[in-house]
Amino acid sequence: RGQALQPLFKMSYSCSKAGDPRPGHPYKGGNFCAFLPENTEGVKIAKLLKRAFECELTFQIKSCNGEERVTWGPIPHKTSWDGGKARNGYPDAQYLHEVGTVL
């Protein structure tokens, strides 16, 4: 595997805003970790993911069992080094190209 970049996002409790499922209601945050290879392409994608986060495109708020909570948004992230594409992990030879296209 080699060394890897591991972006960690910490989302705390807060109130939702216009455009969220229930504006003005509190939502539950969480810790989110994503993995990228530490190579030229991985560093490039990390910069694009950082920009997407700054533009509030990385996460969304969803209702789950009557509770609002933060979840991953439409940008695909690798949340494990194992399990392959089906489990949001590696190996996935096309991931960096696919996420680059989305970003």
Side-chain angles (χ1 to χ4, degrees):
R1 266 182 238 177
Q3 294 186 347
L5 302 172
Q6 299 179 29
L8 176 66
F9 304 97
K10 292 182 181 180
M11 307 297 290
S12 60
Y13 285 86
S14 190
C15 283
S16 54
K17 59 186 187 295
D20 291 330
R22 294 178 50 202
H25 286 80
Y27 62 83
K28 186 175 184 176
N31 293 325
F32 299 83
C33 190
F35 298 89
L36 293 168
E38 191 174 49
N39 59 29
T40 303
E41 188 74 12
V43 171
K44 176 182 162 189
I45 295 300
K47 289 177 184 175
L48 292 172
L49 287 170
K50 181 178 186 236
R51 181 72 181 128
F53 178 78
E54 291 167 349
C55 292
E56 300 182 1
L57 300 172
T58 305
F59 298 99
Q60 58 191 2
I61 298 173
K62 287 189 175 178
S63 271
C64 182
N65 298 324
E67 180 179 67
E68 310 300 314
R69 64 176 43 241
V70 176
T71 63
W72 289 108
I75 300 168
H77 285 76
K78 290 297 179 187
T79 56
S80 173
W81 276 119
D82 305 288
K85 188 172 186 170
R87 294 191 171 186
N88 296 321
Y90 293 97
D92 182 354
Q94 296 301 310
Y95 173 68
L96 293 176
H97 174 72
E98 289 172 2
V99 75
T101 300
V102 170
L103 293 166

